[in-house]
Amino acid sequence: MIADFSKPECRRITSEPLFGLCDDDSKLPAYIDLVNNTIWIATVINVSQKEITFTAVDNCIEIFRENGDIESRCDVMLTTDICLYLIELKNKVSDWRSEGIDQLEATITALKNAESALFFSFRKRKAYVANRRHPHFVKVETEVMERFRDVHRIRLYLEATILIN
């Protein structure tokens, strides 16, 4: 079964200059919050107020493994006219990087399989693992980031601030 990344019930359009991405760790999809920054896992800064399409992926877009099991996937996809952002939201102390990267990789593979032309139509492609408990993670894992970029043709960031440009 091919994943449908264009389900209208999973999408919302915004041009807000500042908003947060939230995930309550429930079986509900991630969502945008405009006012309560204490619950934000990632902060989106949209200085130019571009139109952004927010798509809740986890708990909204179904992605299946070959054996029929549901695939672990990232939480959010943001798109602008030229950029694709895939975001995994975490609120963990340990083992969040590798788990988040795995979820991003599964989502990227499904997106390429379902919407290859769409994936490659963006001039810029960025993937984020954002962790509320480590919003300014400073350990640079150059080798991991380079491998990710080479394999998936998308840049990987381990931070909780997403600048829309």
Side-chain angles (χ1 to χ4, degrees):
M1 174 184 239
I2 298 290
D4 180 6
F5 285 86
S6 63
K7 290 170 70 173
E9 64 270 25
C10 301
R11 297 182 131 186
R12 175 178 171 184
I13 295 177
T14 185
S15 57
E16 291 291 331
L18 181 71
F19 60 92
L21 300 176
C22 306
D23 184 12
D24 296 335
D25 287 330
S26 64
K27 293 296 178 191
L28 297 174
Y31 58 94
I32 291 174
D33 181 83
L34 302 175
V35 293
N36 188 1
N37 65 359
T38 62
I39 64 170
W40 296 1
I41 296 175
T43 302
V44 179
I45 302 170
N46 183 17
V47 176
S48 300
Q49 295 185 317
K50 287 187 173 196
E51 184 175 277
I52 300 168
T53 301
F54 165 92
T55 304
V57 178
D58 192 21
N59 296 315
C60 205
I61 307 292
E62 295 175 334
I63 300 173
F64 295 96
R65 295 183 180 134
E66 287 183 20
N67 67 4
D69 291 346
I70 196 84
E71 181 66 80
S72 182
R73 55 227 182 263
C74 76
D75 292 299
V76 174
M77 177 172 73
L78 300 177
T79 55
T80 67
D81 56 339
I82 63 167
C83 200
L84 165 71
Y85 304 83
L86 293 169
I87 303 128
E88 173 55 27
L89 303 171
K90 294 290 184 194
N91 188 17
K92 294 179 78 175
V93 174
S94 63
D95 197 34
W96 57 274
R97 290 173 303 197
S98 60
E99 185 179 294
I101 290 169
D102 289 347
Q103 289 171 276
L104 285 167
E105 288 180 317
T107 306
I108 291 165
T109 299
L111 183 58
K112 284 181 185 175
N113 289 340
E115 308 270 353
S116 182
L118 174 70
F119 180 83
F120 289 106
S121 71
F122 294 101
R123 278 194 283 158
K124 297 179 182 178
R125 294 178 294 277
K126 300 177 180 184
Y128 287 81
V129 180
N131 189 347
R132 177 186 299 176
R133 296 187 190 205
H134 298 281
H136 306 291
F137 188 71
V138 293
K139 181 180 176 192
V140 177
E141 296 189 27
T142 308
E143 194 173 296
V144 171
M145 295 170 123
E146 286 177 0
R147 182 201 62 81
F148 195 92
R149 186 192 67 231
D150 291 345
V151 170
H152 300 292
R153 310 300 300 157
I154 186 168
R155 292 196 177 274
L156 175 65
Y157 300 87
L158 302 173
E159 61 185 87
T161 300
I162 300 159
L163 181 63
I164 303 296
N165 49 18

